[in-house]
């Protein structure tokens, strides 16, 4: 679309998480009138650590926000997988580090810092809190949204970035429910001083045992913290299961004793407990004036660490499509055509999880590599 056409666009983004914040920044750079509508009444520091991959960071350079993200993250050289007792199974440099004009290492960041940094680079009057979407209608040349507070808006383009339980997806594209993975994830951020010597550098490590339990250690040394994640098999598909300290400690039987000590000392009030879900690939992401983006389009399991990265790369892909196409409908078709094969494959790979005895099954015919090596770059 022509620059003048892009500057005349009104764009409403439903959801202020990874996907919505990234899309707002990228599309604002086009000159469009972009507004984000988030149902939370305030932005809180929630969640744990994530790894931002080189393709994502290269987009941040293009958008002029790399330095802001670098200030609240740590560069990481490699990912290591270990047995429960700490024997190395594989250790490999993050892929993509040398793919760009400047060396670009994966960076480890807290989700709260990520969202806060994005919101700081957006005009304050473009982010609207306390707006829970109830209805959406594609009217052909525009779309209309109704919110629980009684307000309604129209926009030339509406982006559904409202997560795995997306209302936009359910009302317009698919009423299929999220799919339970048979796993739970228990997450917390602790002080590096409470990590019993396991925070030694800025590299992500995962311990796994033969029972399917995985422990992820993601250092946040710029915060002097550690993001600690235990993922285990479970038949309980409630969204927020309740567990006990004794249960968690029992999961650490056979693991490095230091992991047992960390687990025994956790503040249970700060622990996030959730059943792990993804969604089956959605056949169609868009109509004439509405598109899905991020988890709303392709929520995937966390085993490949790709959820946030693919949401951000969606934002880049949608921005490119709007520049290249001659209309919004053709841009949305191009966006889906470009991004969907990538995310479909990552959804498939992420469902394979990890198994200490089946590494070669995940990487047939090639040298075992870190989880990041499976990423399909866009």
């Amino acid at each position: 679309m022509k620059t003048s056409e892009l500057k005349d666009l009104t764009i409403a983004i439903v959801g202020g998480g990874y996907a919505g914040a990234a899309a707002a920044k990228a599309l604002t750079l086009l000159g469009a009138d972009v507004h984000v509508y988030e149902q939370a009444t305030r932005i809180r520091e929630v969640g744990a650590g994530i790894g931002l991959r080189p393709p994502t960071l290269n987009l941040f350079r293009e958008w002029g926000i790399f330095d802001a993200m670098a200030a609240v993250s740590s560069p990481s050289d490699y990912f290591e997988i270990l047995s429960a007792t700490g024997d190395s199974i594989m250790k490999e440099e993050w892929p993509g580090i040398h793919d760009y004009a400047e060396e670009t290492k994966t960076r480890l960041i807290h989700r709260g810092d990520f969202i806060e940094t994005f919101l700081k680079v957006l005009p304050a009057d473009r982010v609207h809190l306390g707006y829970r979407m109830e209805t959406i209608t594609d009217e052909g040349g525009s779309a209309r949204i109704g919110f629980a507070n009684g307000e309604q808006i129209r926009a030339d383009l509406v982006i559904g970035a409202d997560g795995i339980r997306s209302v936009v997806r359910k009302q317009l594209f698919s009423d299929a429910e999220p799919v339970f993975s048979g796993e739970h994830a228990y997450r917390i951020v602790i002080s590096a001083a409470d990590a019993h010597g396991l925070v030694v550098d800025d590299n992500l490590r995962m311990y796994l045992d033969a029972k399917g339990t995985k422990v992820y250690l993601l250092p946040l040394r710029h915060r002097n913290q550690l993001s600690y994640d235990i993922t285990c098999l479970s038949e309980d598909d409630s969204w927020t299961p309740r567990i006990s300290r004794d249960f968690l400690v029992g999961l650490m039987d056979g693991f490095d004793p230091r992991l047992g000590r960390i687990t025994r000392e956790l503040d249970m009030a700060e622990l996030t407990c959730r059943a792990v879900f993804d969604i089956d690939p959605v056949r169609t992401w868009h109509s004439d004036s509405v598109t899905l983006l991020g988890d709303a389009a392709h929520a995937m399991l966390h085993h490949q660490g790709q959820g946030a990265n693919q949401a951000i790369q969606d934002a880049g892909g949608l921005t490119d499509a709007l520049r290249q196409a001659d209309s919004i409908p053709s841009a949305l078709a191009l966006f889906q055509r470009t991004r969907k094969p990538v995310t479909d494959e990552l959804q498939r790979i992420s469902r394979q999880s990890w198994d200490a005895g089946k590494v070669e099954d995940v990487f047939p015919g090639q040298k075992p590599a870190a989880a990041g090596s499976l990423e399909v770059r866009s």
Side-chain angles (χ1 to χ4, degrees):
M1 297 173 70
K2 296 177 181 178
T3 300
S4 58
E5 293 174 321
L6 293 171
K7 289 183 177 179
D8 287 338
L9 283 183
T10 57
I11 300 177
I13 300 174
V14 180
Y18 302 124
K25 177 59 181 177
L27 296 170
T28 297
L29 292 173
L30 292 180
D33 182 17
V34 183
H35 290 262
V36 178
Y37 298 89
E38 165 59 42
Q39 67 177 349
T41 56
R42 65 188 180 96
I43 302 298
R44 298 182 298 114
E45 183 177 291
V46 296
I50 58 173
L52 300 175
R53 307 295 179 83
T56 297
L57 295 166
N58 190 56
L59 282 175
F60 292 168
R61 282 202 179 95
E62 293 178 11
W63 299 344
I65 60 171
F66 178 88
D67 290 344
M69 286 295 179
V72 291
S73 61
S74 298
S76 177
D77 294 305
Y78 63 84
F79 178 99
E80 185 172 18
I81 302 175
L82 305 102
S83 70
T85 54
D87 296 321
S88 183
I89 297 174
M90 63 175 68
K91 176 179 175 181
E92 188 165 296
E93 183 180 76
W94 292 104
I97 289 177
H98 307 293
D99 287 359
Y100 304 98
E102 297 179 54
E103 181 181 79
T104 306
K105 295 183 179 181
T106 286
R107 299 194 73 93
L108 308 184
I109 190 171
H110 189 284
R111 182 184 187 276
D113 291 338
F114 175 92
I115 299 296
E116 182 178 308
T117 300
F118 258 120
L119 294 180
K120 282 180 179 177
V121 300
L122 294 174
D125 63 351
R126 301 299 180 93
V127 181
H128 309 275
L129 303 180
Y131 278 73
R132 180 169 60 83
M133 195 200 85
E134 288 191 334
T135 62
I136 182 167
T137 306
D138 188 322
E139 299 179 336
S142 63
R144 178 166 44 87
I145 305 174
F147 295 99
N149 60 12
E151 291 191 38
Q152 292 197 5
I153 64 161
R154 276 188 173 84
D156 299 316
L157 171 60
V158 172
I159 297 170
D162 49 342
I164 188 171
R165 291 188 280 186
S166 170
V167 178
V168 176
R169 183 182 70 238
K170 189 167 186 178
Q171 290 194 15
L172 293 184
F173 302 110
S174 171
D175 60 2
E177 294 295 325
V179 179
F180 179 48
S181 68
E183 291 184 313
H184 283 181
Y186 313 121
R187 293 170 176 161
I188 192 170
V189 175
I190 64 173
S191 167
D194 296 329
H196 294 283
L198 286 175
V199 177
V200 295
D201 55 27
D202 296 303
N203 298 307
L204 177 63
R205 291 178 172 85
M206 180 183 72
Y207 295 74
L208 70 166
D209 70 7
K211 298 175 295 190
T213 301
K214 295 168 279 289
V215 182
Y216 297 86
L217 304 182
L218 188 147
L220 300 166
R221 289 208 301 169
H222 55 285
R223 279 172 155 248
N224 198 31
Q225 291 179 326
L226 172 70
S227 181
Y228 188 67
D229 178 313
I230 300 172
T231 299
C232 68
L233 299 177
S234 177
E235 296 180 357
D236 178 6
D237 63 355
S238 55
W239 279 93
T240 54
R242 295 186 177 184
I243 60 166
S244 67
R245 184 186 305 278
D246 287 344
F247 170 77
L248 274 185
V249 171
L251 290 175
M252 294 298 97
D253 287 347
F255 278 88
D256 183 317
R258 292 172 294 179
L259 297 175
R261 288 197 289 273
I262 291 173
T263 305
R264 195 172 298 110
E265 297 165 4
L266 294 178
D267 181 349
M268 296 296 289
E270 295 296 319
L271 188 76
T272 299
C273 305
R274 70 176 183 90
V276 181
F277 289 79
D278 67 356
I279 61 175
D280 290 327
V282 179
R283 182 175 180 179
T284 301
W285 290 3
H286 70 91
S287 58
D288 285 345
S289 301
V290 182
T291 190
L292 301 175
L293 188 144
D295 281 356
H298 49 67
M300 57 189 70
L301 303 185
H302 63 287
H303 303 301
Q304 298 296 324
Q306 283 288 355
N309 286 279
Q310 294 308 309
I312 297 160
Q313 290 172 48
D314 279 352
L318 178 58
T319 303
D320 288 343
L322 285 166
R323 284 197 190 100
Q324 295 168 24
D326 58 6
S327 67
I328 290 176
S330 59
L332 299 186
L334 175 60
F335 168 60
Q336 176 175 316
R337 193 162 61 246
T338 304
R339 292 290 302 149
K340 191 174 187 305
V342 175
T343 59
D344 281 357
E345 176 65 2
L346 283 169
Q347 284 182 296
R348 184 191 69 79
I349 292 172
S350 294
R351 281 183 169 177
Q352 294 183 36
S353 184
W354 291 97
D355 184 316
K358 298 181 179 179
V359 170
E360 286 292 348
D361 292 343
V362 181
F363 304 99
Q366 67 180 52
K367 173 188 173 183
S373 299
L374 288 176
E375 81 179 297
V376 181
R377 299 173 196 160
S378 61

